[in-house]
Amino acid sequence: TGGSTASKRSALLRDVLILHFHTVQPPDRVGVVRKLRLGGTIQRANPGCLPAKYDLDLTAPNAHKTAAWTGPSKTSISKLINPWIHKYIFLTELIASSSNGKPYLFHPYNDVSRPLSPSQWTATVKACFARHAGISVSPKTLRASFITFLKGRTDAPEVLMSAAHAMRHQKKTQ
């Protein structure tokens, strides 16, 4: 059945995005990734051009929990993630299914107008990693393990500072 195949593809693409946002680039604040919104926190950097490029745009007031000390920011999303975002948007017809044109990337079934709740997000990430990596791990654990890994692998303070900044740590804890 075509619908079943499309559903499976969209579920796999969603898994690819979850895995990539937690492994390819420094894991952002858990709430930022959970609330990624097309036309909001995810902006197309090169409209109409291919390959598609996207930015993580946290310039809006209250765009993220740590805005008070890290300030607004706009960063490029990894070139390894961009094609998957693009495929996911078009396969799932995400923009067409949104009444305001700003659908959430990770949303409850059939409701692109709101993000998954924190507990739904944790369960979704844990299930995704269990399916594909054989271990159930929460977003907060992934985020913490990334910086712990870097601290144990490098003597380069600029690398740690860069990762801490990307992960929106306070300056005093960077």
Side-chain angles (χ1 to χ4, degrees):
T1 60
S4 174
T5 301
S7 305
K8 287 178 184 176
R9 282 187 185 154
S10 98
L12 282 172
L13 278 172
R14 183 177 173 154
D15 281 1
V16 166
L17 287 175
I18 289 169
L19 293 167
H20 274 70
F21 274 114
H22 288 91
T23 60
V24 169
Q25 64 187 44
D28 214 312
R29 305 297 306 183
V30 173
V32 169
V33 177
R34 178 177 69 85
K35 296 182 206 174
L36 289 172
R37 192 171 199 178
L38 295 174
T41 51
I42 291 186
Q43 297 280 338
R44 179 82 184 259
N46 61 346
C49 296
L50 290 175
K53 295 179 182 176
Y54 295 90
D55 289 331
L56 176 62
D57 185 349
L58 300 176
T59 58
N62 301 319
H64 58 95
K65 172 179 148 179
T66 57
W69 55 79
T70 61
S73 66
K74 190 170 189 174
T75 54
S76 297
I77 292 176
S78 169
K79 65 181 180 180
L80 298 174
I81 300 174
N82 285 323
W84 299 109
I85 294 171
H86 196 68
K87 288 176 186 177
Y88 182 73
I89 290 168
F90 287 99
L91 179 69
T92 61
E93 298 178 347
L94 200 53
I95 295 170
S97 61
S98 173
S99 62
N100 67 1
K102 292 186 178 182
Y104 285 93
L105 213 58
F106 305 110
H107 53 83
Y109 183 69
N110 281 342
D111 187 2
V112 300
S113 68
R114 62 187 180 92
L116 291 169
S117 71
S119 61
Q120 289 172 319
W121 177 243
T122 297
T124 299
V125 172
K126 288 172 91 172
C128 178
F129 272 83
R131 274 191 302 279
H132 301 287
I135 184 167
S136 175
V137 60
S138 73
K140 287 184 180 185
T141 301
L142 289 163
R143 194 169 183 282
S145 66
F146 181 83
I147 199 68
T148 302
F149 170 79
L150 278 182
K151 282 182 179 179
R153 299 282 187 213
T154 185
D155 291 334
E158 65 278 359
V159 172
L160 292 174
M161 289 293 286
S162 176
H165 178 72
M167 294 171 73
R168 292 165 196 18
H169 288 174
Q170 291 182 12
K171 287 189 193 293
K172 64 183 179 184
T173 59
Q174 288 181 6

